[in-house]
Amino acid sequence: MTARTKLEELTNSWYGFALVTALVNLVAGGFGIFRMVWTALSLTFSLAITYAIGKALLRKSHIVRFLLLVASSLSMFFGSLGVLKLVLGSWSFGTLFTLGLSVASVFMSFRSFRTLRDSSVKAYFG
């Protein structure tokens, strides 16, 4: 698998994560008109950011790659602490939604870090 393909798959995974997150937030928060508008706006923003970052990575932006490595490292660390706090804290039905999204977020950060540190991807950036 080429580095370009790996970066495209990572970007597509982030698109999927944004969609799932929007759906979970919509279900957890209710189907009111303001919730639906807010969810649509946040989804649009998330997809636009993902698109811009994905295109920058495909254009071999060293700065974006570096910033994403730092951001994914911090996200894994603090996200893991958040998951631990949720597991050790009091439980409710809403906690399960939050826990699921938190675990998925840590996983996506790990996947991003692993992909960006891959030897073929490093070679792609030169």
Side-chain angles (χ1 to χ4, degrees):
M1 185 180 300
T2 66
R4 185 173 183 87
T5 305
K6 289 179 183 180
L7 292 172
E8 288 170 347
E9 285 184 0
L10 180 64
T11 303
N12 290 336
S13 296
W14 276 104
Y15 286 138
F17 179 72
L19 288 171
V20 169
T21 301
L23 288 174
V24 168
N25 284 329
L26 187 62
V27 170
F31 291 98
I33 187 70
F34 292 115
R35 173 60 74 172
M36 285 191 232
V37 169
W38 181 252
T39 300
L41 289 173
S42 64
L43 176 62
T44 302
F45 181 74
S46 296
L47 293 176
I49 294 295
T50 301
Y51 176 81
I53 290 173
K55 289 299 178 189
L57 287 173
L58 292 176
R59 285 190 313 262
K60 302 179 182 182
S61 173
H62 295 283
I63 295 170
V64 171
R65 180 178 173 268
F66 174 76
L67 291 174
L68 287 176
L69 283 169
V70 171
S72 62
S73 299
L74 292 173
S75 178
M76 281 188 298
F77 177 74
F78 290 112
S80 297
L81 289 178
V83 167
L84 183 64
K85 182 180 176 184
L86 284 171
V87 169
L88 297 176
S90 63
W91 283 80
S92 70
F93 186 68
T95 304
L96 292 177
F97 283 114
T98 306
L99 181 62
L101 286 178
S102 297
V103 169
S105 177
V106 170
F107 172 76
M108 287 300 296
S109 295
F110 173 73
R111 184 170 180 200
S112 297
F113 185 81
R114 187 181 65 195
T115 300
L116 293 171
R117 294 281 303 152
D118 185 79
S119 59
S120 65
V121 173
K122 280 197 272 188
Y124 178 76
F125 282 89

